[in-house]
């Protein structure tokens, strides 16, 4: 008797982080249940058959750096996407799981309330599966004591900042966080820029009355990132606990990370498309246009910097590639980039431009379309490794029989997609621009599946997913290398 499946995917080239093969895939009850050589599924029936037509079949994207529905951090600007519009944009670009931030303010003493409030923001409106990193703004005794409960609630990562007045921790506070994170097997993400250097540079520019968007870049010199990266590595090595340096933009910071990794330390690193595709030129545009590309760290000096970041992806320095989707509308004086334009600063002031760019929908397509990464490496950094590092593996990030959710992207067969220029109106976020406007799109997911449902069909209806189908996913511990020593950290006497 024929075996009955929900969906079968035939004639595809399955690509995971470890293999590329002509394989057919069968799906039942939201899971991947069979992965067999092409033509070998045997006597089967299926409610739906998808002919991949020689296209790549990859695990759905996991984007582990996403800001949605966050309170203002830069004076007045607030994030343009909520959980509905952000996850909608994600799914239309092939990202099936996102990990967003649950931000605790400095004035707050608890993380569990922050977690609860963030759950309420996401509940019943997501198109993708999701989880949260707790953003620790105030590592009080009470907040530290809650790490254990966070783990029980399925949260296994935190983020801390070495910059931004509203969030910056000093080194003693960072050590407090790292020590308790080590105890609870939590991975700590670090925004590594030296906040005092940035403030000092900002004052120098203000003295000279230099306010244009491009000076955002000047105010964040590579040195501020390089120093903070090295300091974060040192603090992590001292406590012997894993960290991930988020959004690395500077080759010299990447070199510090590589050296630490070569010494066997559990130092992980992330970069983002901004640092592969944008440079200082994108900040130096006529009028206020450069504000569209204001993010921190800023796009760096030249193509050579981008090339070094690509090299770091290829050679394993970067564990993951995330979007750092942090959306602000451009032409918006109330909540967007233009909130910094007023009577005192008629052409705006770089210091008050909300920091961040949208990119959750374009991350996979632009990176794959650039044809610069080996296919397995592409899957590793955009899906498998974020799943492994943040405790979602092998449920997410893989195409493993009996283990993985049926979260899948089916791409166009190489060279078969009609190329076109990217326009913001093609995207599904709630933002009025993309920093990648006009770039040639060579690849886009043709179909996207989330837990066995076709949620995107590019040529037949586009977005088919349903708001609220996305679920919160409880996360376990990292599947990547942890501390080199076991047990309690001992004071070195
Ligand atoms: C790998 O890339 C990093 C970051 O660009 C660079 O510092 C390092 O030299 C590269 N290592 C090798 C072995 O190529």
């Amino acid at each position: 008797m024929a075996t009955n499946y929900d969906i079968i995917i035939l004639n595809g080239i399955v690509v995971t982080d470890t293999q590329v093969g002509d394989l057919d895939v069968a799906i039942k009850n939201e899971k991947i249940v069979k992965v067999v050589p092409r033509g070998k599924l045997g006597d089967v029936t299926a409610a739906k058959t998808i002919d991949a037509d020689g296209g790549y079949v990859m695990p759905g994207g996991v984007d582990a750096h996403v800001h949605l529905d966050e309170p203002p951090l830069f004076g007045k600007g607030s994030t343009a996407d909520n959980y509905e519009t952000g996850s909608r944009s994600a799914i239309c670009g092939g990202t099936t799981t996102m990990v967003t931030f649950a931000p605790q303010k400095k004035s707050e003493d608890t993380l569990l309330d922050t977690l609860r409030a963030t759950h309420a923001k996401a509940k019943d409106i997501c198109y993708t599966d999701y989880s949260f990193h707790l953003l620790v703004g105030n590592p009080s005794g009470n907040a530290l004591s809650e790490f254990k409960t966070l783990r029980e609630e399925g949260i296994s990562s935190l983020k801390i900042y070495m910059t931004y007045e509203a969030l910056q921790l000093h080194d003693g506070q960072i050590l407090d966080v790292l020590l308790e994170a080590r105890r609870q097997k939590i991975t700590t993400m670090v925004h590594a820029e030296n906040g005092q250097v940035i403030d000092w540079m900002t004052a120098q520019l203000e003295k000279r009355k230099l306010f244009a968007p491009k000076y955002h870049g000047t105010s964040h010199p590579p040195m501020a990132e390089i120093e903070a990266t090295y300091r974060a590595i040192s603090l992590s090595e001292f406590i012997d606990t894993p960290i991930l340096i988020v959004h690395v933009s500077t080759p010299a910071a990447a070199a510090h990370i590589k050296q630490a990794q070569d010494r066997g330390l559990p130092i992980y690193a992330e970069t983002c498309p901004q640092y592969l595709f944008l440079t200082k030129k994108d900040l130096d545009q006529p009028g206020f246009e450069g504000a569209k590309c204001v993010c921190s760290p800023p796009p760096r000096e030249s193509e050579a910097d981008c090339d070094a970041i690509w090299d770091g992806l290829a050679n394993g320095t970067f564990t993951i590639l995330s979007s750092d989707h942090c959306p602000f509308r451009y032409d918006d004086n109330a909540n967007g980039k233009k909130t910094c334009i007023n009577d005192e600063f008629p052409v705006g002031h770089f210091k008050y431009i909300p920091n961040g760019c949208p990119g959750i929908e374009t991350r996979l397509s632009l990176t794959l379309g650039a044809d610069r990464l080996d296919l397995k490496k592409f899957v590793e950094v955009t899906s498998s490794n974020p799943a492994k590092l943040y405790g979602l593996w092998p449920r997410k990030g893989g195409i493993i029989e009996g283990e993985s959710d049926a979260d899948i992207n089916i791409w166009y067969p190489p060279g078969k997609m009609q190329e076109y220029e990217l326009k913001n109106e093609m995207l599904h976020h709630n933002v009025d621009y993309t920093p990648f406007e006009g770039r040639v799109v060579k690849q886009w997911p043709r179909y996207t599946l989330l837990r066995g449902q076709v949620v995107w069909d590019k040529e037949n209806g586009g977005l088919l997913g349903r708001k609220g189908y996305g679920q919160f996913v409880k996360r376990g511990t990292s599947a990547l290398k942890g501390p080199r020593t076991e047990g309690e950290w001992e004071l070195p006497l």
Side-chain angles (χ1 to χ4, degrees), residues 248 250-259 261-262 305-318:
V248 175
T250 304
H256 279 312
I257 289 162
K258 179 78 172 123
Q259 282 161 23
Q261 292 167 342
D262 288 347
D305 293 292
C306 298
D307 287 343
I309 301 300
W310 278 108
D311 286 348
L313 273 173
N315 79 21
T317 303
F318 295 111

Side-chain angles (χ1 to χ4, degrees), residues 369-388:
D371 263 331
R372 288 181 71 151
L373 289 181
D374 170 77
L375 292 172
K376 287 186 286 190
K377 180 56 82 175
F378 171 77
V379 171
E380 181 184 281
V381 296
T382 58
S383 176
S384 310
N385 269 353
K388 288 177 183 177

